[in-house]
Amino acid sequence: MTSSCRLSLLGAEVDVLTPDEVMSAIAQSVTAKRRMVIANHNLHSLYLFHRRSDMRAFYAKADLIEIDSTPMILWGRLLGRCVSRAHRCTYLDFRESFWARAQSEGWRVCHVGGAPEHNPLSKAAILNRYPDVHLDMHTGYFDVTGADNERLLAELAAHKPDVLLVGMGMPRQELWILNNLERLPECAIMPIGAAFDYEAGVMYTPPRWTGQIGIEWLVRFFHEPKRLFSRYFLESWVLIPHAMRDVFTRSEAAQARRISGGGRSPLPKRKTLRKRKPR
């Protein structure tokens, strides 16, 4: 199991991981044929996490929780946590590394998500770059509680994927994983949102440098203002009490370190009073 440092940010736990360490964790899951849930947190997921008990239940089941948010990393650095831009993990940043490794190591990958008309485009785009990848696709438009779901679970059991990518949007994908976890194959399981829509070219992909400097959200907003206004400008207010709690906890920790590390302050030396000579 990949070792990582788990810390609390904005009221939720995350793991300090680089994309390379995520790839190593997936490889370990594949080799051991062990079910592993690799989740991620960004500001939108934090909003859902604090509002919904089922989302908290999902994250409690996760083996690893990536930081998929430059603002979260900057907040962690401001608090003095051991986190840097190298620890931002998002599909669009590590996809080439993932598919190269999937091809070289022969991973069987299955993607559940996307519209039926878009899936052939995303699969073709990936196979164009990595022609030997073993990739199965299943649309994300199905009844998650009915017969369609039972058929999908049977297909997954038969295909026995090494990696299961679930791209049905948040929180639908997380709750589907949570509700079906015990029946999913022994493999690495990752919710990836609309990642395959980017592969298909049906959704605008911001330049990767925008994520590195923390303005990817702004670029996305300019392209989809109606859909993203609430997410970027209203949901974040829910996180203010948790941010204040982080600051308070940091102040308490700093004060405790000063007390335990410094010990008692030495008493000032007393001045020696000279006796006055009698006149």
Side-chain angles (χ1 to χ4, degrees):
M1 180 68 179
T2 297
S3 60
S4 65
C5 169
R6 177 159 287 199
L7 53 83
S8 176
L9 283 179
L10 298 169
E13 291 188 335
V14 292
D15 292 302
V16 181
L17 293 162
T18 64
D20 286 344
E21 288 172 327
V22 173
M23 295 304 107
S24 296
I26 294 172
Q28 291 173 24
S29 169
V30 172
T31 300
K33 296 193 180 301
R34 172 180 174 269
R35 186 184 296 122
M36 175 187 292
V37 177
I38 303 175
N40 64 83
H41 258 317
N42 52 40
L43 297 184
H44 178 53
S45 69
L46 287 174
Y47 168 81
L48 295 171
F49 177 86
H50 291 302
R51 285 298 183 96
R52 300 183 57 142
S53 60
D54 49 5
M55 283 293 279
R56 293 193 291 275
F58 165 76
Y59 282 99
K61 294 283 188 179
D63 298 278
L64 293 174
I65 305 174
E66 306 164 337
I67 306 176
D68 179 13
S69 167
T70 299
M72 285 181 67
I73 288 173
L74 296 177
W75 178 245
R77 288 177 62 83
L78 188 62
L79 294 172
R81 306 295 175 82
C82 55
V83 62
S84 71
R85 294 180 189 273
H87 298 118
R88 181 174 185 260
C89 296
T90 183
Y91 174 83
L92 288 177
D93 287 339
F94 64 59
R95 63 176 174 172
E96 303 305 335
S97 175
F98 172 81
W99 291 114
R101 192 152 184 177
Q103 177 171 264
S104 65
E105 299 192 16
W107 293 348
R108 297 185 304 276
V109 182
C110 182
H111 176 255
V112 176
E117 63 272 22
H118 297 158
N119 281 350
L121 299 175
S122 57
K123 184 173 183 176
I126 293 167
L127 294 182
N128 184 55
R129 304 197 307 275
Y130 303 95
D132 295 328
V133 160
H134 184 117
L135 175 59
D136 294 313
M137 305 281 285
H138 190 287
T139 179
Y141 290 80
F142 65 97
D143 182 358
V144 297
T145 60
D148 287 348
N149 192 59
E150 293 299 319
R151 281 192 290 270
L152 172 57
L153 293 174
E155 288 179 19
L156 292 174
H159 290 157
K160 296 181 179 178
D162 297 308
V163 183
L164 175 59
L165 305 176
V166 186
M168 298 191 289
M170 189 177 284
R172 190 171 188 261
Q173 61 194 13
E174 284 80 10
L175 300 186
W176 182 80
I177 294 172
L178 175 67
N179 294 331
N180 296 281
L181 185 57
E182 299 307 317
R183 301 178 62 188
L184 294 179
E186 302 286 335
C187 66
I189 304 166
M190 300 176 64
I192 60 169
F196 272 40
D197 285 342
Y198 297 115
E199 294 283 9
V202 297
M203 184 173 287
Y204 171 74
T205 306
R208 303 322 307 141
W209 61 265
T210 62
Q212 295 301 315
I213 65 174
I215 63 168
E216 184 172 347
W217 68 272
L218 187 59
V219 176
R220 291 182 189 276
F221 172 71
F222 280 129
H223 280 82
E224 299 181 90
K226 289 184 179 180
R227 184 175 75 88
L228 296 176
F229 178 81
S230 176
R231 178 180 298 188
Y232 290 153
F233 295 99
L234 300 180
E235 291 181 2
S236 299
W237 291 97
V238 171
L239 303 178
I240 289 179
H242 303 285
M244 297 302 295
R245 192 172 295 112
D246 281 350
V247 173
F248 181 72
T249 301
R250 179 176 182 269
S251 299
E252 278 192 327
Q255 184 177 6
R257 284 196 299 270
R258 284 196 297 269
I259 294 174
S260 62
R264 295 180 62 184
S265 300
L267 294 174
K269 292 183 179 179
R270 294 181 179 179
K271 291 183 179 180
T272 302
L273 298 178
R274 292 182 180 180
K275 293 183 179 179
R276 292 184 179 182
K277 294 182 180 181
R279 293 179 182 177

